[in-house]
Amino acid sequence: MNYDRILIRYGEISTKGRNRKKFVDKLRKSVRIALAPFPNVKIEASHDRMYVLLNGENGIEIIEKLKHIFGIQSFSPAVKVRKDLEELKQASLDLVSSLYQDGQTFKVTTKRSDKTFELNTDELNHAIGGHLLQNIPGIKVDVKHPDINLRTEVRKEAIYLSCQTIQGAGGLPLGSSGKAMLMLSGGIDSPVAGFLSMKRGLELEAVHFFSPPFTSERAKEKVIDLTKKLAEIYGSPIKLHVVPFTDVQQAIREQVPENYTMTSTRRMMLRITDELRQKREGLAIITGESLGQVASQTLESMFAINEVTNTPILRPLISMDKNDIIKIANEIDTLEISNRPYEDCCTIFVPASPKTRPKREKVKQYESFFDFEPLIQEAVQEVETLIIQPNRDQHHQEFDDLF
C-alpha cells in the first residue's frame, strides 16, 4: 500500500506556550529546505502536528531527509481516511495486509483526539482488530510485543493510519534560539560542540584562527571541510571567519612568560571572537572545551580566560568524556577530517609546562606591558569571511534563493 503523507510529531516544541508558532514556523522552513528536491511535496503545519503530503514523490528518500532535521521528535508514514467506520476498516485491512508476513502478530493502538467520533477508543480497537482477524488468515493478536502496531489517530478533520514510528533528530529547529559564534579549531571537539549547539536551535557562524606561515593552507582547508560538514547538517551555508593571528601570537610569545602564553592566547582569541560577535549581531560564543581535558580547560584556566568578556560562553561538551565526544564526531562524519595531521595555531607554540592554575592577576599584569589592542583591531579588520556551501544538488541551491 502506498502512503500518501508523513505525519511529523514536534516533541519538545509541544512544551512551548505562546511562542510555539515561532518554533513551528522555523521547523516548517527547515523541512521545506530539506525537501526542496521534491517539487510536488506539500507541507501543512498545525498547532501540534505537521504533515508532508507526498503527491507521488519518493517516500523512502523523503524519510531519509526527515531523519536529520532538528525539531522533529518522530514521524510516521501515514494514510488519511475519511471519518467513516467501514472506510476505516477497509483502509486498515489494506495497510496491514501490505505489511503482513506469515506468522506475524499485530495490535491496534488508537488515539481519539476527536471525542465526538461515534466509537470510543476500546470500541475502535475491537472493530478494527476484529476486521483484521476475520480477513487476514493466520494473523494473531499480541498486545505486548506485536510485529505490526497499527496506530489509529482520530482527529477532527480525518483519521490517520500508520504502522511505523521513526525517530527524528530531536532538539529545536535551527535558528529558533538565536545566533552564536563557534570557535572552530581543526580538532575533534569544536565541530561536535557546533553540532550540539545547532541541535538546540542555534544559528552558527564559525571563527577560525590562522597563523601563517606556522600553520599551512592544508590546515585551513581542513577547517573549511569541517565547516562544510556542519553546513550539510545545517542544510544551509555557514559563514566561516578566518582570523589572521600570526602577529598577535608572536607578540604574546615575546611579551608573556612561557607558562602563561596558552592562557593569554585563549584570552586574545576570545577578545577577537567577541568583536566579531558584536559585528555579526550574535548573542553568545561557543567553544569545544571539556572540563580538565587540557591545561587551558581547567576551571582555574576558564576563570582567568573568561575575564575578557561578559558575553555568554557556551560549552556543550563541558562534562563529556573524550570517548563520548569521539563517538559523536564519528556519527556526524567529522572525525576523519579532524584527525588530518595539520597543526592549528593552538598547538604550534604549546609551552613545555603550561599553567593549569593560572592567576587572573598575573596574566593581566603580563599583558599590561604591551598594548595588544591595535593588533586585535587589525586582526578583526583583516578577517577573511568565506561562505561555506553544503554539498547539495542544484534544485536545493535554487530553493535557498527564496529565503
Side-chain angles (χ1 to χ4, degrees):
M1 183 174 187
N2 292 325
Y3 294 104
D4 58 22
R5 68 198 58 228
I6 297 174
L7 183 156
I8 294 174
R9 301 177 186 87
Y10 295 150
E12 190 173 344
I13 294 177
S14 299
T15 65
K16 306 302 177 185
R18 297 177 182 176
N19 292 327
R20 183 187 295 196
K21 185 179 184 301
K22 180 188 79 170
F23 287 89
V24 171
D25 288 345
K26 290 285 187 182
L27 178 58
R28 181 172 182 165
K29 177 180 176 180
S30 294
V31 173
R32 286 180 66 195
I33 291 173
L35 301 187
F38 307 94
N40 295 323
V41 157
K42 184 179 179 182
I43 300 164
E44 295 179 351
S46 64
H47 185 66
D48 56 355
R49 288 287 188 274
M50 188 175 293
Y51 299 94
V52 176
L53 310 185
L54 299 180
N55 293 323
E57 294 285 3
N58 190 318
I60 295 174
E61 292 182 7
I62 288 172
I63 284 171
E64 287 303 310
K65 295 282 188 181
L66 294 177
K67 285 180 181 178
H68 307 291
I69 298 176
F70 295 128
I72 296 178
Q73 187 66 29
S74 66
F75 58 94
S76 298
V79 177
K80 183 179 181 181
V81 183
R82 286 193 312 115
K83 293 166 70 175
D84 175 85
L85 182 58
E86 292 306 314
E87 189 172 329
L88 171 61
K89 288 160 67 174
Q90 184 58 47
S92 300
L93 178 60
D94 292 343
L95 179 54
V96 174
S97 296
S98 69
L99 300 172
Y100 175 68
Q101 298 178 4
D102 288 344
Q104 285 189 323
T105 59
F106 83 101
K107 70 178 286 190
V108 180
T109 303
T110 299
K111 180 180 179 182
R112 195 170 63 109
S113 300
D114 181 10
K115 306 301 183 185
T116 65
F117 190 69
E118 57 187 285
L119 300 181
N120 64 28
T121 300
D122 289 338
E123 290 169 340
L124 273 169
N125 286 342
H126 287 125
I128 297 169
H131 190 69
L132 297 178
L133 288 168
Q134 289 174 6
N135 291 279
I136 303 178
I139 197 167
K140 295 181 179 179
V141 175
D142 184 344
V143 296
K144 291 187 177 180
H145 303 289
D147 297 306
I148 300 172
N149 185 1
L150 175 62
R151 291 177 173 83
T152 306
E153 185 169 352
V154 183
R155 300 178 66 80
K156 287 185 178 181
E157 71 280 4
I159 298 174
Y160 298 93
L161 300 175
S162 63
C163 289
Q164 187 181 13
T165 298
I166 302 167
Q167 290 303 306
L172 297 173
L174 285 169
S176 61
S177 297
K179 181 194 289 186
M181 312 301 287
L182 171 66
M183 296 178 70
L184 184 64
S185 69
I188 294 172
D189 300 339
S190 54
V192 175
F195 165 75
L196 294 176
S197 299
M198 289 192 295
K199 187 172 183 177
R200 297 309 303 162
L202 282 170
E203 175 189 350
L204 299 186
E205 292 191 14
V207 180
H208 176 67
F209 292 87
F210 186 51
S211 295
F214 306 107
T215 54
S216 67
E217 283 295 323
R218 288 191 174 183
K220 182 178 174 182
E221 289 172 8
K222 174 180 174 180
V223 172
I224 290 172
D225 287 344
L226 288 172
T227 308
K228 187 172 293 186
K229 284 294 181 184
L230 292 177
E232 289 170 9
I233 297 168
Y234 189 66
S236 292
I238 291 179
K239 288 186 173 66
L240 170 63
H241 306 285
V242 181
V243 180
F245 198 56
T246 308
D247 291 346
V248 177
Q249 205 157 11
Q250 286 184 319
I252 292 169
R253 193 180 183 191
E254 293 168 4
Q255 300 297 327
V256 177
E258 185 184 26
N259 59 349
Y260 267 86
T261 55
M262 180 60 71
T263 304
S264 188
T265 297
R266 297 294 295 178
R267 283 165 61 96
M268 298 304 162
M269 287 179 170
L270 203 53
R271 286 173 64 177
I272 292 170
T273 303
D274 204 28
E275 291 273 351
L276 293 174
R277 176 201 62 79
Q278 287 182 294
K279 290 179 67 174
R280 300 296 306 159
E281 298 183 342
L283 298 174
I285 296 170
I286 303 162
T287 77
E289 293 167 310
S290 175
L291 189 61
Q293 188 176 146
V294 295
S296 65
Q297 296 176 21
T298 64
L299 203 56
E300 291 87 351
S301 288
M302 292 180 192
F303 183 72
I305 293 165
N306 268 35
E307 183 195 24
V308 300
T309 180
N310 291 321
T311 299
I313 310 297
L314 308 183
R315 297 180 172 93
L317 314 184
I318 193 67
S319 62
M320 293 180 66
D321 293 337
K322 190 68 175 184
N323 287 339
D324 296 329
I325 298 169
I326 290 172
K327 181 181 177 181
I328 297 175
N330 190 49
E331 289 172 353
I332 64 174
D333 202 24
T334 58
L335 182 61
E336 185 178 342
I337 300 171
S338 294
N339 281 333
R340 293 177 191 170
Y342 309 123
E343 292 185 318
D344 58 47
C345 63
C346 292
T347 57
I348 55 174
F349 294 140
V350 176
S353 299
K355 274 286 184 183
T356 59
R357 295 182 177 181
K359 303 296 184 185
R360 272 187 178 182
E361 297 75 18
K362 283 191 174 182
V363 71
K364 286 174 66 177
Q365 180 185 5
Y366 298 143
E367 291 173 0
S368 69
F369 298 133
F370 183 82
D371 186 7
F372 285 94
E373 186 61 24
L375 292 180
I376 288 172
Q377 293 305 321
E378 183 180 350
V380 170
Q381 293 300 318
E382 295 181 3
V383 163
E384 177 187 12
T385 297
L386 307 174
I387 300 176
I388 308 300
Q389 300 281 351
N391 288 326
R392 297 167 304 162
D393 57 38
Q394 186 63 30
H395 290 296
H396 209 159
Q397 289 282 21
E398 290 171 355
F399 192 83
D400 281 346
D401 294 339
L402 299 176
F403 296 95

